[in-house]
């Protein structure tokens, strides 16, 4: 049974159409990559599933409930640490999330902190960008959510930080949950992704099981993305 169902969903900001006629379904137990060019609407889709976008058209259900206030209880959006005071310690951030979310697992958070090589007494103002991203993932994955929405968790950070984040997704992935991740680091997520959604021309150009693609076509994630984008460009220019 599908955990996420998106049916004929469109969203515009003012006169600008961001996404149009989105249709896809996602199941639990998978890590799914949502791919597309900059400005293609990936973040918009994340916000739609998180219940943060307004005045959209169509139907979105998460766990058989219409997306909204109720579905936020089991949907974890990648944390934004920018709203915390810069002199907050890592422990204060954890305390806030434990107070805010009833499903926050402090023990799991501590395990993740140790794995990420972060200290409870570290101050946000002293953390590198990579360590801030690792902390954001710590507090996000420490919730016992059904759906994890990770928008560009690997963006602009060093290689070792990206490796830690990817390793943490594998190590702490819950088979009963769903992870939807947007990124441009295709080669680095190649081995952890089960399924891929490719966004082009404001809609889903392809949804595919990555293992099936490897077996039947003998290509990986990067080549699949390249071929899909080139194919849709040819179609849009009438080259077939």
């Amino acid at each position: 049974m599908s955990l996420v169902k998106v049916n004929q969903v469109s969203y515009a900001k003012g006169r600008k159409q961001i996404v149009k006629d989105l249709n896809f379904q996602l199941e639990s137990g998978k890590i799914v990559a949502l791919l597309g060019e900059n400005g293609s609407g990936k973040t918009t889709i994340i916000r739609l599933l998180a219940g943060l976008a307004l005045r959209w058209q169509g139907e979105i259900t998460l766990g058989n409930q219409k997306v909204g206030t109720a579905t936020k209880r089991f949907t974890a959006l990648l944390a934004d640490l920018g709203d915390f005071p810069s002199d907050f310690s890592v422990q204060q951030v954890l305390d806030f999330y434990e107070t805010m979310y009833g499903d926050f697992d402090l023990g799991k958070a501590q395990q993740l902190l140790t794995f990420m090589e972060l200290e409870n007494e570290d101050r946000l103002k002293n953390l590198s960008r990579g360590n801030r991203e690792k902390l954001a993932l710590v507090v996000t994955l420490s919730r016992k959510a059904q759906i994890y929405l990770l928008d560009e968790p690997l963006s602009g950070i060093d290689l070792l930080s990206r490796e830690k984040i990817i390793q943490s997704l594998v190590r702490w992935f819950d088979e009963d949950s769903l992870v939807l991740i947007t990124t441009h680091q295709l080669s680095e997520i190649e081995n952890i992704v089960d399924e891929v959604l490719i966004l082009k021309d404001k809609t889903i150009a392809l949804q595919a099981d990555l293992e099936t693609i490897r077996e039947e076509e003998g290509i990986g994630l990067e080549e699949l993305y390249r071929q899909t984008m080139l194919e849709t460009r040819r179609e849009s220019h009438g080259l077939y």
Side-chain angles (χ1 to χ4, degrees):
M1 184 173 64
S2 297
L3 181 59
V4 173
K5 295 180 182 179
V6 176
N7 183 39
Q8 289 297 108
V9 170
S10 298
Y11 175 77
K13 184 177 291 185
R15 296 183 178 180
K16 183 179 180 181
Q17 191 74 42
I18 308 298
V19 291
K20 185 177 182 180
D21 298 334
L22 296 175
N23 291 284
F24 62 88
Q25 297 185 19
L26 302 174
E27 299 177 356
S28 60
K30 293 185 177 182
I31 297 178
V32 181
L34 174 59
L35 309 179
E37 297 176 324
N38 288 332
S40 60
K42 300 186 300 296
T43 296
T44 294
I45 292 176
I46 293 291
R47 289 178 58 80
L48 284 165
L49 296 180
L52 299 178
L54 302 175
R55 294 183 292 278
W56 48 273
Q57 297 176 322
E59 183 179 15
I60 302 174
T61 57
L62 309 179
N64 291 324
Q65 296 186 55
K66 290 185 177 180
V67 70
T69 303
T71 58
K72 291 180 181 180
R73 292 184 293 103
F74 55 84
T75 304
L77 179 66
L78 183 64
D80 180 2
L81 302 181
D83 293 332
F84 289 97
S86 63
D87 63 347
F88 253 41
S89 67
V90 168
Q91 185 60 53
Q92 285 176 297
V93 174
L94 298 188
D95 291 342
F96 173 85
Y97 272 85
E98 185 182 26
T99 301
M100 181 63 66
Y101 297 101
D103 61 357
F104 189 80
D105 186 338
L106 191 58
K108 183 178 180 181
Q110 193 59 55
Q111 291 178 31
L112 277 160
L113 275 187
T114 302
F115 179 77
M116 294 291 197
E117 300 176 343
L118 297 172
E119 301 292 339
N120 296 69
E121 63 271 16
D122 288 342
R123 301 284 171 178
L124 292 182
K125 62 184 177 183
N126 296 326
L127 295 181
S128 65
R129 179 168 180 176
N131 282 339
R132 288 177 68 93
E133 290 296 334
K134 288 193 288 185
L135 178 57
L137 194 66
V138 165
V139 295
T140 304
L141 293 182
S142 295
R143 288 188 56 198
K144 296 176 182 178
Q146 291 180 264
I147 302 169
Y148 296 91
L149 303 172
L150 310 180
D151 192 16
E152 297 288 353
L154 308 176
S155 178
I157 60 175
D158 62 272
L159 175 62
L160 294 180
S161 294
R162 294 201 300 270
E163 288 179 347
K164 274 290 186 182
I165 287 174
I166 291 169
Q167 291 167 11
S168 71
L169 288 175
V170 174
R171 184 168 178 174
W172 275 275
F173 177 62
D174 184 346
E175 292 293 338
D176 293 326
S177 65
L178 165 73
V179 173
L180 182 63
I181 179 172
T182 74
T183 183
H184 293 286
Q185 310 293 335
L186 305 191
S187 62
E188 296 182 32
I189 65 167
E190 170 83 33
N191 294 326
I192 70 168
V193 170
D194 301 298
E195 194 169 321
V196 59
L197 290 169
I198 299 180
L199 189 59
K200 174 66 178 174
D201 293 331
K202 302 178 179 62
T203 196
I204 300 298
L206 178 73
Q207 179 173 5
D209 178 85
L210 195 54
E211 184 176 352
T212 301
I213 291 294
R214 292 192 192 102
E215 293 177 352
E216 296 182 356
E217 301 186 29
I219 60 175
L221 186 59
E222 284 191 274
E223 184 59 27
L224 176 64
Y225 178 71
R226 184 179 296 109
Q227 289 184 11
T228 302
M229 299 304 281
L230 288 174
E231 181 178 335
T232 54
R233 283 171 183 163
R234 291 192 187 105
E235 291 174 347
S236 66
H237 288 85
L239 299 179
Y240 283 105

